[in-house]
Amino acid sequence: MSMSEPIPIVGGTGALGAGLALHWARAGVPIVLGSRSAERAEEAASKLRAAVPDAKVEGLLNQEAAKRAKIVFLTVPFRAQSENLNNLREALEPGQILVDCTVPLAAAVSGKATRSLGVWQGSAAQQAQEMVPDGVAVVAALHTVGAPTLADPDAELDEDVLVCGDRKADKARVARLIELIPGLRAVNAGPLEMARIVEQLTPLLISVNGRYKAHTGIRLTGLPDGDHWA
Amino acid sequence: MSMSEPIPIVGGTGALGAGLALHWARAGVPIVLGSRSAERAEEAASKLRAAVPDAKVEGLLNQEAAKRAKIVFLTVPFRAQSENLNNLREALEPGQILVDCTVPLAAAVSGKATRSLGVWQGSAAQQAQEMVPDGVAVVAALHTVGAPTLADPDAELDEDVLVCGDRKADKARVARLIELIPGLRAVNAGPLEMARIVEQLTPLLISVNGRYKAHTGIRLTGLPDGDHWA
């Protein structure tokens, strides 16, 4: 992918989306922030321009944002995932990659953020794969990167991102974008069904964070050095 | 606990148990290796004495081993967990702590080691809690420490052990034993129900290990320094 192709973030006005946008904008990548409201999308874009003066950023309706590049990030809470995927049905086209960052926290139904909901398909990512148009591939990633850490312009990231998907080439393209953010290493965590496990890491980290008053991330030790995606 | 109290390992002739025993013996802790066969227990004890000449180690039947200290480790495959817990019913007494290391891999029923089985109680550890006598507390730990790494006397460990249990004091006692092994840090991962998540890390790591030809472990980044258990 050309580095001049933007990164559209559906739900880009939320905490995770805004945090990712901040880091990608700093890395010089054009960003398209999507929202259900064009006005809120433009507000978020203005905020990002204020934080990163040379940011190339637009704010658009989610459906418009999703048409702007081959790889689209979905960073909405689980409560809103199905609604957003329904809204994207006419926008997404075969050949696109949807990067689902959704975590089925029990908080979605007023339960605890340290517990999760069972998703019939096995994981939120597999639900997404069922809901996107034919020919759109879902890759699951970024569940364990904390929005507060991402939003803190002074925080140094130091963690892995476990990437699940059924085609290595798709995961490699997503990994390149993730690794534009300093301190993040993308690890191939296997087929999309492994999102059943990876999505569960978030309530685990939320639980540890509360206990230790910390912002934790995941790191796999023992991996070989060098580019994992070549 | 006095450091002269031994560590009984039920299933101590298996790969995980033998690996843990090797490291604890090196740290000078007396070990009681348990097995369903007194002969195999004694064979494993001899092997450990050969590897660690000053090891204080006995080999006993599991039921006898479990009576030898307050904290007992259970390191059997999920396939054998219920049978072992049934056999321990007369051996364990109120006030003891059973450290369950079981992972419900689908391999238990000839499935893949990168997939897991659903356990009715939520996790293998919660199944163990249901099966032990009243007054015995289950703590879940050591799921993600690879037996091949433990068994390699030259391998340097560098990973966290996520410890789940309903009482912090119990977890702290288990953490002290875990941290006798150089390179392991014990992290309080919450109540026993969090074993639902922690047990799933093993198939995830097995999957990554196969893909990267590596022996990976888990590390949480962002935790405060110092003794987490004081």
Side-chain angles (χ1 to χ4, degrees):
Chain A
M1 165 179 140
S2 154
M3 272 300 97
S4 62
E5 189 166 353
I7 300 181
I9 305 176
V10 172
T13 58
L16 177 62
L20 291 170
L22 173 69
H23 287 267
W24 279 320
R26 282 173 160 192
V29 186
I31 300 293
V32 185
L33 294 175
S35 171
R36 278 180 298 185
S37 144
E39 193 184 340
R40 282 212 306 281
E42 188 39 54
E43 277 170 18
S46 299
K47 207 171 149 191
L48 182 54
R49 273 181 222 112
V52 184
D54 55 353
K56 299 184 224 34
V57 54
E58 287 180 281
L60 296 177
L61 284 172
N62 283 326
Q63 296 92 312
E64 296 305 312
K67 293 176 180 169
R68 299 299 289 273
K70 171 154 174 166
I71 303 178
V72 178
F73 286 76
L74 178 66
T75 61
V76 298
F78 182 61
R79 192 175 54 242
Q81 191 207 28
S82 286
E83 179 191 340
N84 272 276
L85 289 168
N86 277 326
N87 292 341
L88 291 177
R89 275 202 173 124
E90 303 298 316
L92 293 172
E93 295 197 344
Q96 282 189 290
I97 296 169
L98 182 78
V99 185
D100 182 67
C101 308
T102 312
V103 176
L105 298 179
V109 292
S110 303
K112 293 185 180 186
T114 55
R115 289 175 169 171
S116 61
L117 298 172
V119 179
W120 190 267
Q121 295 87 341
S123 61
Q126 290 169 289
Q127 174 164 280
Q129 185 63 71
E130 190 180 274
M131 293 187 71
V132 293
D134 284 354
V136 175
V138 172
V139 167
L142 289 163
H143 315 86
T144 55
V145 180
T149 312
L150 276 178
D152 176 355
D154 298 322
E156 286 190 21
L157 298 168
D158 167 33
E159 57 191 275
D160 288 340
V161 172
L162 302 178
V163 182
C164 308
D166 289 335
R167 284 199 300 261
K168 187 178 178 190
D170 293 343
K171 288 182 278 190
R173 293 179 68 161
V174 173
R176 295 275 173 237
L177 298 182
I178 290 168
E179 293 187 344
L180 290 173
I181 299 179
L184 295 187
R185 176 178 67 168
V187 175
N188 186 347
L192 195 65
E193 67 174 36
M194 293 301 280
R196 296 175 191 210
I197 298 176
V198 174
E199 291 173 4
Q200 303 301 319
L201 296 175
T202 308
L204 175 66
L205 294 186
I206 290 172
S207 161
V208 171
N209 286 348
R211 202 166 302 108
Y212 286 90
K213 315 227 177 303
H215 296 291
T216 58
I218 286 283
R219 181 67 91 183
L220 298 192
T221 65
L223 282 178
D225 291 329
D227 187 346
H228 299 183
W229 297 98
Chain B
M1 168 181 137
S2 155
M3 273 298 95
S4 63
E5 189 167 350
I7 300 182
I9 305 176
V10 172
T13 58
L16 177 62
L20 291 170
L22 173 68
H23 286 267
W24 278 320
R26 283 173 159 193
V29 186
I31 301 292
V32 185
L33 294 174
S35 171
R36 278 180 298 184
S37 144
E39 194 183 339
R40 283 212 306 280
E42 188 40 55
E43 277 170 19
S46 298
K47 209 172 149 192
L48 182 55
R49 272 181 224 111
V52 184
D54 55 353
K56 299 184 222 38
V57 55
E58 286 180 281
L60 296 177
L61 284 172
N62 282 326
Q63 297 91 313
E64 296 305 313
K67 293 176 180 169
R68 298 297 290 274
K70 171 153 173 166
I71 303 177
V72 178
F73 286 75
L74 178 65
T75 61
V76 298
F78 182 61
R79 191 175 55 242
Q81 190 207 29
S82 285
E83 180 192 341
N84 272 275
L85 289 168
N86 277 326
N87 292 341
L88 291 177
R89 277 204 171 123
E90 303 297 315
L92 293 173
E93 295 197 343
Q96 282 188 291
I97 296 170
L98 182 78
V99 185
D100 182 66
C101 309
T102 312
V103 176
L105 298 179
V109 292
S110 302
K112 293 186 179 185
T114 56
R115 289 175 169 171
S116 61
L117 299 172
V119 179
W120 189 267
Q121 296 87 341
S123 62
Q126 289 168 290
Q127 174 164 280
Q129 184 63 70
E130 189 179 273
M131 293 187 70
V132 292
D134 284 352
V136 175
V138 172
V139 167
L142 289 163
H143 315 87
T144 54
V145 181
T149 311
L150 275 178
D152 176 356
D154 298 322
E156 285 190 22
L157 297 168
D158 169 33
E159 57 191 276
D160 288 339
V161 172
L162 302 179
V163 182
C164 307
D166 289 334
R167 284 199 300 261
K168 186 177 177 190
D170 293 343
K171 288 183 277 190
R173 294 178 68 161
V174 173
R176 295 275 172 238
L177 298 181
I178 290 168
E179 293 188 343
L180 291 173
I181 300 179
L184 295 187
R185 176 178 67 168
V187 175
N188 186 347
L192 195 66
E193 67 175 36
M194 294 302 281
R196 296 175 189 208
I197 299 176
V198 174
E199 291 173 4
Q200 303 302 320
L201 296 174
T202 307
L204 175 67
L205 294 186
I206 290 171
S207 163
V208 171
N209 286 348
R211 202 165 303 109
Y212 287 90
K213 316 229 177 301
H215 296 292
T216 58
I218 285 283
R219 180 68 90 183
L220 298 192
T221 66
L223 282 178
D225 292 329
D227 187 345
H228 298 185
W229 296 98

